[in-house]
Amino acid sequence: MLNYFKFLLHQLKGWPQQNYYLFFFSLGCQIMTLVNQPITFLTVITFLGTTLGVLCILSISAAKSVNGILGIISALCFIYVGFSAKNYLSIGEQIAYMITLDIPVLLSKEWNHNMAAKIRKFTGKVWLLAIISTVVVYFVSGGLIQRFTDDPRPWVDAIAFSISLTAGVISFLRYNNQYYWWLASGLAQMVLWYISFTHGSASLAMFVNSSVYLINDVLAFTVSPWYNQKERERMQKQEDDYYQLSH
């Protein structure tokens, strides 16, 4: 157990500096949002989920695998928030994240070792398959959620869900093209949670959180090892050195 906590601590180190800046910016925004509204169980859970959620997505963009434990806790928080707002597909989205992004990290030692060395790119066929899958999931999920639930925003919810679900699968397969989907997901989430906020179904914190996710996705194209070759080589060396010292 002690070694696992040491591993988690190591996974929080060595990120691009911009990731740390974005986390503390997000933390400041979320604290201001929290204290400027009535403190309830829902707002506290939202604050916890958004804070850990930002740490989670920043660790993924840094090609670090601490996202397992962070992702599961934040997902549970977001499931509660999504249920409270009647954004039911956001619940499915968080479950999908746990299955594709978080649980593999917790179960597989190989998954945790040097993620930066396993990054790959789409071929033309994979591009086509990913796009078609997103569209199919959109129509199927939107139709089902409209028919069987009282979700007040079924098709907006479906847009966010279909893009995010596909992004999670792409990330699970370690394709750097995931960030095109994450970028679209951030925009869709901002629209979903802004509409939910104006309807009185959610706090502004979820919109702020989606905005931070969007900023992270833009940064990923510049400083993240998923796209920056120099940063990828630095991360690979760091992880290899740590692996050798710990074994």
Side-chain angles (χ1 to χ4, degrees):
M1 182 62 72
L2 181 61
N3 287 336
Y4 181 68
F5 283 113
K6 287 181 179 179
F7 165 77
L8 291 180
L9 182 61
H10 166 72
Q11 293 298 308
L12 291 171
K13 298 177 180 178
W15 296 2
Q17 286 188 346
Q18 292 86 345
N19 289 42
Y20 295 113
Y21 299 154
L22 184 54
F23 170 72
F24 287 110
F25 169 76
S26 171
L27 181 62
C29 290
Q30 293 296 352
I31 290 174
M32 287 190 292
T33 304
L34 178 65
V35 300
N36 279 297
Q37 61 186 333
I39 305 297
T40 64
F41 183 72
L42 178 60
T43 59
V44 171
I45 289 296
T46 303
F47 174 77
L48 179 62
T50 54
T51 302
L52 295 181
V54 168
L55 267 181
C56 177
I57 59 107
L58 288 173
S59 72
I60 293 174
S61 71
K64 294 283 192 171
S65 51
V66 70
N67 62 289
I69 188 67
L70 295 176
I72 286 178
I73 297 173
S74 64
L76 293 174
C77 293
F78 288 144
I79 285 172
Y80 179 80
V81 175
F83 181 78
S84 300
K86 294 184 179 180
N87 290 337
Y88 298 120
L89 282 175
S90 69
I91 296 173
E93 175 187 319
Q94 295 302 322
I95 293 172
Y97 287 165
M98 286 193 285
I99 294 172
T100 59
L101 301 178
D102 304 324
I103 292 176
V105 171
L106 296 177
L107 296 181
S108 173
K109 291 183 179 180
E110 178 59 26
W111 182 277
N112 289 318
H113 175 53
N114 207 343
M115 189 188 299
K118 302 167 185 175
I119 294 171
R120 51 184 179 161
K121 299 178 181 179
F122 273 2
T123 61
K125 289 183 180 179
V126 180
W127 267 110
L128 183 61
L129 178 61
I131 293 170
I132 291 174
S133 298
T134 304
V135 174
V136 170
V137 172
Y138 167 68
F139 283 109
V140 172
S141 62
L144 290 175
I145 211 73
Q146 182 181 46
R147 182 173 181 180
F148 295 109
T149 76
D150 59 346
D151 188 327
R153 299 161 290 273
W155 293 105
V156 178
D157 204 357
I159 291 174
F161 173 74
S162 60
I163 297 172
S164 300
L165 176 62
T166 308
V169 174
I170 296 171
S171 181
F172 173 79
L173 297 173
R174 293 195 179 93
Y175 287 107
N176 66 356
N177 307 77
Q178 65 183 281
Y179 280 98
Y180 292 102
W181 268 258
W182 288 132
L183 189 64
S185 172
L187 290 169
Q189 294 288 344
M190 286 176 66
V191 172
L192 173 65
W193 289 108
Y194 178 75
I195 295 174
S196 301
F197 171 70
T198 58
H199 289 176
S201 302
S203 84
L204 189 60
M206 292 301 293
F207 174 79
V208 173
N209 187 64
S210 299
S211 303
V212 172
Y213 280 24
L214 187 66
I215 296 171
N216 172 71
D217 299 333
V218 173
L219 281 177
F221 288 104
T222 57
V223 299
S224 167
W226 291 93
Y227 280 93
N228 187 308
Q229 183 63 36
K230 184 179 294 185
E231 186 65 23
R232 186 184 308 177
E233 291 170 357
R234 183 189 71 82
M235 198 72 71
Q236 286 179 240
K237 184 178 185 305
Q238 181 190 70
E239 290 298 298
D240 284 333
D241 290 345
Y242 172 79
Y243 187 79
Q244 291 174 5
L245 288 174
S246 60
H247 288 75

